[in-house]
Amino acid sequence: MKAPWFRRYLLPGLVFQSAVIAGGYGTGRENVEFFLSIGPTPGLAAMALSTAIWSAVCAVTFELARQFRSYEYRSFFKRLLGPSWTLFEVTYVLLTLLVLAVIGAAAGSIADETFGLPYALGVIVTLGSVALLLFYGSVTIERFFAGWSFALYGVYAALVVWSLMRFGSSLGESFAASPLEGSWVMNGIQYGGYNLSAAAVALFTVRHIQTRKQAVSAGLLAGVIGMVPAFFFYLAMVPHYPGIVDATVPSNLILEALGSRTFQVLFQIVLFGTLIETGTGMIHAVNERLAASRRERGLAMPSRARPVVAAVFLGIALSLTPLGLIDLIRQGYGTITWGFIVYYVLPVLTVGAWLAFRKRGETRGAEGAS
């Protein structure tokens, strides 16, 4: 994980994935709402469209951040959007609160359904772990994200292989019975749009990137790295369609169908870690923005301030968790996604792309001055 190639090409994507995965994706609930609910084949097409959007936006974002030397979202969006950058911040803060509420609701549901523990205990343990991890800062967060991502890939691979061995015989039939029609383009754009807040979370890793080729490669890889677990999980979910659409925690339905209590517990422990990753990443981006503001005034951000910021966000999020996982994802994400499309996706793929690639150059110094 200390190798330069790892930090330049893979770490941004792993942090991006870590920030995406627990907002409902890790439980399978987002897969249902945006993809599988419209049918297996249209859902797969929507997933491919979301991946393409992620890769394109991340590639431009990482290259712009490298040129601007902007490693937190405030300085990045001030350069991209000018005075209107605050509109992005408002949207980002609202999404952060929503994602934290989703994380809390997911943790509570898993604690209740898998371990028979009080719903509130799952919420408190998960959100409390977020605050603890934030206290230790960027280096610890990078290590945790990278290490836990490999654990996640391991259990997801096991889940998919096992599920397809048991239920895969109906997979081709499910896709064949589902024509490519309906709202797959809109769903792909929506899912791709709001999840791109995770690219802002990954900005702090761009400090490792030195050239345009590295930035673009890392961005293109980030979209793929971010979606690979969702794709595998989707294949495991399709044989259970349409019944799985109504499951609060779809991963539990699959795990119970496999019939292994040991693997179910292991999977949910790893999923708890991904919940912590996403919550940490979202708030860490806010902390990095506040730290940069203080540096501009010649001040350092006290280490104790980081968990205090976390406590404020987590306290507000706790008040939203009683709404439940399904309603938070269904009603919240579909609305807020348009803010990110207007204030981020469209500007970065137009003005941002022109700024990033208007002239050639490979060295940080040459393009950083542009």
Side-chain angles (χ1 to χ4, degrees), residues 2-18:
K2 293 182 179 181
W5 65 268
F6 179 88
R7 291 182 174 182
R8 292 168 186 166
Y9 291 103
L10 299 182
L11 182 62
L14 292 173
V15 172
F16 176 81
Q17 176 217 71
S18 298

Side-chain angles (χ1 to χ4, degrees), residues 30-351:
E30 282 185 356
N31 264 349
V32 166
E33 290 296 332
F34 290 91
F35 304 136
L36 194 54
S37 63
I38 59 176
T41 301
L44 192 61
M47 185 176 288
L49 178 57
S50 294
T51 305
I53 293 171
W54 285 0
S55 288
V57 173
C58 285
V60 178
T61 296
F62 293 167
E63 171 58 8
L64 274 179
R66 183 187 74 84
Q67 291 187 27
F68 294 163
R69 302 191 185 192
S70 298
Y71 308 131
E72 39 75 32
Y73 71 78
R74 173 178 172 268
S75 62
F76 179 87
F77 283 98
K78 284 182 74 174
R79 294 289 297 270
L80 179 65
L81 301 177
S84 62
W85 77 271
T86 54
L87 296 174
F88 172 86
E89 181 163 56
V90 170
T91 309
Y92 180 83
V93 168
L94 290 174
L95 181 66
T96 298
L97 292 171
L98 177 60
V99 168
L100 290 170
V102 168
I103 289 167
S109 296
I110 292 168
D112 178 33
E113 294 183 14
T114 303
F115 302 107
L117 297 172
Y119 181 95
L121 182 62
V123 175
I124 292 169
V125 168
T126 301
L127 298 186
S129 298
V130 169
L132 181 64
L133 192 57
L134 284 163
F135 178 79
Y136 290 100
S138 296
V139 174
T140 300
I141 290 170
E142 281 185 358
R143 291 173 179 170
F144 180 76
F145 279 17
W148 207 264
S149 292
F150 286 112
L152 175 72
Y153 270 107
V155 297
Y156 264 62
L159 174 68
V160 172
V161 170
W162 194 355
S163 181
L164 292 181
M165 288 175 64
R166 288 280 301 276
F167 310 111
S169 59
S170 64
L171 196 61
E173 186 178 309
S174 296
F175 281 111
S178 172
L180 182 59
E181 60 186 15
S183 60
W184 68 270
V185 173
M186 185 63 67
N187 284 34
I189 292 172
Q190 281 190 303
Y191 189 73
Y194 86 81
N195 266 307
L196 278 165
S197 62
V201 174
L203 286 174
F204 75 99
T205 67
V206 178
R207 69 186 190 277
H208 300 300
I209 293 175
Q210 296 181 342
T211 67
R212 172 174 292 174
K213 179 181 177 181
Q214 292 169 5
V216 173
S217 298
L220 295 176
L221 283 170
V224 177
I225 291 170
M227 193 63 82
V228 162
F231 169 72
F232 285 147
F233 201 0
Y234 190 78
L235 293 181
M237 293 169 68
V238 168
H240 303 279
Y241 175 82
I244 199 170
V245 170
D246 295 322
T248 302
V249 183
S251 60
N252 258 345
L253 186 149
I254 298 172
L255 292 164
E256 288 171 2
L258 291 174
S260 171
R261 176 64 177 171
T262 301
F263 184 69
Q264 183 180 18
V265 170
L266 175 62
F267 183 92
Q268 300 295 24
I269 288 172
V270 173
L271 183 54
F272 263 111
T274 67
L275 299 176
I276 294 167
E277 280 186 317
T278 296
T280 300
M282 296 292 285
I283 300 176
H284 183 63
V286 177
N287 277 333
E288 290 295 286
R289 171 259 193 270
L290 294 174
S293 297
R294 289 181 64 84
R295 281 196 300 272
E296 290 178 2
R297 300 195 299 270
L299 301 171
M301 184 170 175
S303 59
R304 66 180 180 275
R306 293 178 179 271
V308 169
V309 172
V312 172
F313 274 86
L314 296 174
I316 297 172
L318 277 171
S319 68
L320 300 175
T321 54
L323 295 175
L325 185 61
I326 293 178
D327 286 341
L328 284 166
I329 291 174
R330 182 172 294 163
Q331 298 174 21
Y333 287 171
T335 301
I336 209 166
T337 187
W338 298 111
F340 283 101
I341 291 172
V342 171
Y343 304 134
Y344 181 19
V345 176
L346 293 179
V348 87
L349 290 181
T350 53
V351 176

